Amino acid sequence: FVQAVADSGHRVTIARPGSEAVDAASILSVMGLGTACGDSVEIAVEGPDAAAVLTHLAALVESDLDA
């Protein structure tokens, strides 16, 4: 996920609902969220084609990245 964010070239943040958003390009920040499989997150994308990038990132989050 973090690599996909970096590759997108967009400013992307991720947060647990009700929590402060963190830089999704930072592995330490993303790991610091402490999310587990099944938890909800909020992703925000800024930049051109933000909707397409958001769709791609959401699909990654919904998939089993450990498989």
Side-chain angles (χ1 to χ4, degrees), residues 10-66:
H10 290 70
R11 177 165 167 25
V12 181
T13 59
I14 187 169
R16 295 179 81 162
S19 297
E20 186 173 336
V22 300
D23 181 3
S26 167
I27 188 69
L28 293 177
S29 294
V30 173
M31 290 175 63
L33 291 173
T35 57
C37 185
D39 288 350
S40 294
V41 294
E42 298 170 350
I43 302 170
V45 181
E46 297 176 14
D49 299 322
V53 172
L54 179 59
T55 298
H56 175 68
L57 295 174
L60 286 176
V61 168
E62 291 172 353
S63 68
D64 185 0
L65 295 174
D66 291 331

